[in-house]
Amino acid sequence: MKPTAVLAGLALALSATVALAEGLPDLGGRAVTVVTENAYPPLQFINGDGQAVGWEYDAMAEIAKRLNMTVTYENTSWDAMIPAVSGGQYDIGMTGITIRDDRKEQVDFSDPYMRSEMVMMVRGDEARFTDAASFAANDDLLMAAQPGTTPFYVGVYEVLDGNEANPRIKMFETFGAGVEALRAGDVDLVLTDGTSGNGYVAASDGGLKIVGEKLGAEDFGFIFPKDSDLVAPVNAAIAAMKADGTMSALDKKWFLDFKMGQ
């Protein structure tokens, strides 16, 4: 037998032992394809060394170890992700996806693995507005958003006038592109969950800041094709990781200790 085959066998045996020890389902080394965007730090992004890293990668690696499954990663854009997972092209999707009833019509969600609150991120020298009301009152101010995302809908219905075609909302293909437009002065506001927003601010050396009150809470979950048999095992692993402190350790690593750009 080749050495690589021996090592692979040992890895599967170890994973099976972990699953058994925790009372979790053992998926027997099942191959699972996970799709992500790599555009939402610190959940998932490409670091300075060209490596795909982040909170969700660490969490998924731990889930895979505990359930004895083998993960392969693919990439796609945000607007293509839910339809692709819904159509069975991928087994799991991860990119800070807010659990919403309308999305449940297309995909199944895991239990929440993270709760975050929406915040208003602006340039560090912004003085024209300090909250949602003063932003909405100034017709010269523009907001960046990705179509179909929670920040888009919060911007439309909680900040502006409920018109989804409002020209004050400038669309960008990725979250990072919207942030770059904010830095460049092409837009004046980016709405984001507090975890990502605080990471950007901490790494901006005063170039960005958070203003106003939080605009509500959202729960993030992994997505699956409807009726996927992976939902229950992944939920069991999430519950075990919450119970033993693994989730809290990941939060500390990526949201407290981590400085983006390193």
Side-chain angles (χ1 to χ4, degrees):
M1 183 178 294
K2 294 181 179 180
T4 53
V6 173
L7 290 174
L10 289 173
L12 287 175
L14 178 60
S15 297
T17 301
V18 172
L20 182 63
E22 293 188 313
L24 295 174
D26 180 358
L27 300 186
R30 176 173 169 177
V32 172
T33 302
V34 178
V35 65
T36 188
E37 189 183 16
N38 285 338
Y40 199 24
L43 295 185
Q44 22 69 29
F45 62 103
I46 303 299
N47 69 10
D49 296 325
Q51 298 174 318
V53 298
W55 191 102
E56 287 180 329
Y57 277 107
D58 283 0
M60 186 57 63
E62 184 66 22
I63 290 169
K65 182 177 75 173
R66 294 184 187 219
L67 296 180
N68 188 17
M69 66 184 192
T70 303
V71 174
T72 300
Y73 292 99
E74 299 287 346
N75 295 106
T76 192
S77 63
W78 158 250
D79 58 355
M81 184 173 299
I82 291 179
V85 173
S86 177
Q89 185 174 349
Y90 307 107
D91 299 303
I92 302 176
M94 65 178 201
T95 184
I97 304 173
T98 302
I99 299 173
R100 289 189 356 202
D101 288 341
D102 60 329
R103 292 172 180 166
K104 289 179 180 179
E105 296 176 3
Q106 302 178 67
V107 294
D108 285 341
F109 278 91
S110 70
D111 291 337
Y113 59 78
M114 182 182 298
R115 166 160 283 199
S116 185
E117 295 174 303
M118 195 68 58
V119 297
M120 300 175 64
M121 187 165 65
V122 304
R123 287 183 295 279
D125 60 356
E126 182 59 71
R128 295 167 296 172
F129 64 97
T130 58
D131 56 18
S134 54
F135 175 87
N138 187 338
D139 290 338
D140 293 331
L141 301 175
L142 303 176
M143 174 190 308
Q146 287 175 275
T149 61
T150 297
F152 170 79
Y153 292 113
V154 170
V156 169
Y157 294 103
E158 295 190 33
V159 177
L160 295 175
D161 57 3
N163 175 15
E164 293 187 15
N166 192 314
R168 292 178 61 186
I169 303 179
K170 301 302 179 183
M171 301 299 186
F172 293 87
E173 184 176 347
T174 67
F175 177 75
V179 175
E180 289 308 308
L182 175 65
R183 293 179 185 272
D186 297 328
V187 298
D188 308 293
L189 170 65
V190 170
L191 294 179
T192 181
D193 66 278
T195 53
S196 181
N198 288 331
Y200 270 102
V201 169
S204 73
D205 194 25
L208 299 170
K209 66 181 179 181
I210 304 296
V211 300
E213 299 294 326
K214 294 181 176 65
L215 297 176
E218 56 183 358
D219 290 323
F220 293 161
F222 302 116
I223 60 172
F224 308 79
K226 296 292 289 185
D227 301 318
S228 170
D229 63 352
L230 287 171
V231 176
V234 170
N235 282 344
I238 289 172
M241 291 163 65
K242 288 180 177 180
D244 66 16
T246 300
M247 292 299 195
S248 294
L250 290 179
D251 289 345
K252 182 177 185 296
K253 173 182 176 180
W254 288 106
F255 301 130
L256 295 179
D257 295 343
F258 178 66
K259 294 292 183 290
M260 280 181 293
Q262 293 181 343

